[in-house]
Amino acid sequence: MKILIVDDFSTMRRIIKNLLRDLGFNNTSEADDGSTALPMLQNGNFDFLITDWNMPNMPGIDLLKAVRADDKLKTMPVLLVTAEAKREQIVEAAQAGVNGYIIKPFTAETLREKIEKIFERINAGG
Amino acid sequence: MDTPGVEEKAAELKAQQLEKARQLVSHIEAGDEESAARLIEELGRMHESLLFQELGKLTRDLHEALNAFRLDSRLSELTQTDIPDAKERLNYVVSLTEDAAHRTLNAVEASLPMSEQLSSRAGDLAQSWQRFRARELSAEEFRQLSGELGEFLAVVHGDAEAIRRNLSDVLMAQDFQDLTGQVIRRVINLVQDVEQNLVGLVRISGERLSTPDQKKMQEKRAEDQNKGMGPAVPGTAGASDVVSGQDDVDDLLSSLGF
């Protein structure tokens, strides 16, 4: 399981990386913006994308839309981990095809739960 | 601003007054009292109208200056919403960083005595263990050591887990840096905005400022929303219609068929 973590704050990337390691996911890479993440995704055989929303160049919502519009990437599960809390934004993310939405600040337990749920659904749906 | 015009007018008026005064002298010398009275009245009116013109101009200038302040809606928006907003945001930063510091300190304070005790008990046991290896222990002493070792391993098991939990709490507490960073960046943008507006105000001081049109403001709001606005800070503009936590997000998503 190869996971890409996208957040413009390195501290948050480290937190997520450590939590993932605790959950048994050791193969992670990091990007600090949607615009750097997209080429990594296109060239990198990633299985899972965890991204922030609010980033300077390409926000997470645009990254999500770009992933869904890319033939090679469109089935990749995407988890948004963000401080963006407007209902409108959550609805927009859902409509853009997000697989999970975690609001910051979050707990290790929430992250575990959401990731498990995403894979449960993927395995069930085939 | 049209002082030159006013000065010209005043000079013209003065010339007219002088002319009328000369006529007045000649009327009085000629004994034409009726014409003299009419000229005196005209002179009075001219003086009054000059005063009124000046007063009118001052009033208009004042009115326009006041309007210019009132009409610059960006500036009033800044003072009415954004700056109080920024204060709330900075207070939020203070409380987030305070929480993070306390969480970290709590975890450290809980872990330090545990690791100190583990270290000192391990030291004691290591000494006994060494004596056992050197065959210096009696059977009775060995029974005791064996019991202590069993106990110690159970303690290590529990304490190591507790320390791991505390450390992961320290890890999670560092999320304040991301959240406060987003908030502070917004406040920095606001400060730049205020600065630009003040510079603009100084540059055009007195001139009427244009009102930003509603459509542009809406476009800017939509753009902000797409870029992401950072954490919702309680008590600030834009804190409406936000979810109150992960449960709320889950409810909303499940209502959308998730």
Side-chain angles (χ1 to χ4, degrees):
Chain A
M1 171 72 61
K2 198 171 166 194
I3 304 177
L4 182 64
I5 305 164
V6 190
D7 197 309
D8 52 333
F9 281 88
S10 59
T11 44
M12 184 49 73
R13 294 200 301 272
R14 284 179 69 183
I15 290 173
I16 294 175
K17 188 180 168 166
N18 274 288
L19 292 173
L20 289 173
R21 203 189 48 213
D22 255 14
L23 297 173
F25 301 108
N26 290 302
N27 193 0
T28 55
S29 297
E30 299 175 29
D32 64 357
D33 192 85
S35 56
T36 48
L38 193 57
M40 286 175 78
L41 289 167
Q42 281 161 342
N43 303 320
N45 287 328
F46 285 95
D47 304 297
F48 190 36
L49 168 64
I50 297 180
T51 181
D52 183 23
W53 183 313
N54 183 8
M55 291 181 289
N57 296 314
M58 185 187 201
I61 187 70
D62 290 351
L63 178 62
L64 169 65
K65 288 172 183 170
V67 164
R68 289 293 173 254
D70 186 313
D71 270 343
K72 233 182 87 193
L73 302 173
K74 63 182 175 195
T75 57
M76 176 180 292
V78 178
L79 176 62
L80 265 167
V81 179
T82 173
E84 301 303 319
K86 276 202 173 283
R87 286 171 190 282
E88 235 176 286
Q89 290 173 300
I90 298 165
V91 171
E92 188 188 354
Q95 283 165 349
V98 82
N99 298 81
Y101 198 109
I102 293 179
I103 201 113
K104 291 175 186 172
F106 61 100
T107 64
E109 180 53 28
T110 303
L111 184 67
R112 188 186 60 73
E113 198 182 287
K114 299 303 166 201
I115 290 178
E116 276 176 4
K117 213 170 148 194
I118 287 172
F119 288 118
E120 244 170 55
R121 197 174 292 125
I122 286 170
N123 291 335
Chain B
M1 238 143 296
D2 42 6
T3 355
V6 169
E7 268 170 13
E8 267 169 40
K9 250 189 179 167
E12 197 188 310
L13 213 76
K14 214 170 175 184
Q16 283 179 13
Q17 279 177 318
L18 199 61
E19 175 60 29
K20 290 212 190 292
R22 284 200 186 105
Q23 281 180 14
L24 180 63
V25 172
S26 64
H27 281 314
I28 292 173
E29 280 172 351
D32 185 352
E33 277 178 26
E34 202 178 305
S35 297
R38 186 169 46 81
L39 275 173
I40 288 171
E41 201 182 310
E42 265 177 37
L43 276 167
R45 262 210 307 276
M46 281 170 84
H47 186 64
E48 269 173 17
S49 87
L50 185 67
L51 259 178
F52 278 125
Q53 269 177 23
E54 278 294 303
L55 198 62
K57 192 190 152 295
L58 275 174
T59 311
R60 198 173 59 244
D61 282 354
L62 180 66
H63 180 73
E64 275 176 11
L66 286 174
N67 270 350
F69 273 108
R70 206 173 303 137
L71 287 175
D72 181 10
S73 70
R74 180 66 196 127
L75 205 67
S76 64
E77 194 185 322
L78 280 171
T79 50
Q80 278 167 20
T81 17
D82 292 9
I83 289 184
D85 240 42
K87 282 192 266 182
E88 280 304 315
R89 285 178 200 285
L90 292 178
N91 278 327
Y92 179 69
V93 168
V94 172
S95 78
L96 270 185
T97 49
E98 190 181 353
D99 281 354
H102 281 303
R103 269 174 79 184
T104 306
L105 290 171
N106 288 343
V108 168
E109 280 170 5
S111 303
L112 274 180
M114 274 188 255
S115 66
E116 277 161 14
Q117 253 185 349
L118 287 179
S119 163
S120 89
R121 284 206 63 186
D124 293 346
L125 286 169
Q127 273 185 354
S128 302
W129 185 248
Q130 210 116 66
R131 285 183 57 213
F132 165 73
R133 297 283 301 260
R135 299 174 190 283
E136 289 170 11
L137 288 191
S138 67
E140 177 55 35
E141 281 173 319
F142 176 70
R143 248 195 306 280
Q144 201 191 330
L145 172 63
S146 157
E148 279 173 6
L149 270 176
E151 241 172 66
F152 179 65
L153 289 176
V155 169
V156 170
H157 187 67
D159 283 5
E161 172 54 26
I163 290 171
R164 192 200 64 80
R165 253 199 326 270
N166 290 340
L167 286 176
S168 87
D169 213 26
V170 170
L171 178 86
M172 289 310 293
Q174 308 313 306
D175 67 358
F176 80 93
Q177 204 273 330
D178 170 8
L179 296 172
T180 58
Q182 294 187 54
V183 172
I184 290 172
R185 275 184 190 164
R186 271 193 75 137
V187 175
I188 291 173
N189 284 340
L190 169 70
V191 170
Q192 279 170 344
D193 211 3
V194 170
E195 187 190 12
Q196 275 172 6
N197 267 276
L198 287 179
V199 168
L201 189 68
V202 168
R203 194 183 300 131
I204 54 175
S205 58
E207 267 178 48
R208 191 179 287 255
L209 303 177
S210 63
T211 38
D213 63 286
Q214 214 56 28
K215 202 175 153 220
K216 258 192 187 155
M217 279 169 73
Q218 238 163 34
E219 272 168 17
K220 190 180 175 295
R221 211 168 298 141
E223 192 188 312
D224 279 354
Q225 193 147 314
N226 186 56
K227 275 163 91 178
M229 301 181 294
V233 179
T236 61
S240 61
D241 199 36
V242 298
V243 293
S244 62
Q246 187 64 41
D247 286 345
D248 235 7
V249 177
D250 295 349
D251 287 348
L252 180 57
L253 285 177
S254 74
S255 78
L256 293 166
F258 264 66

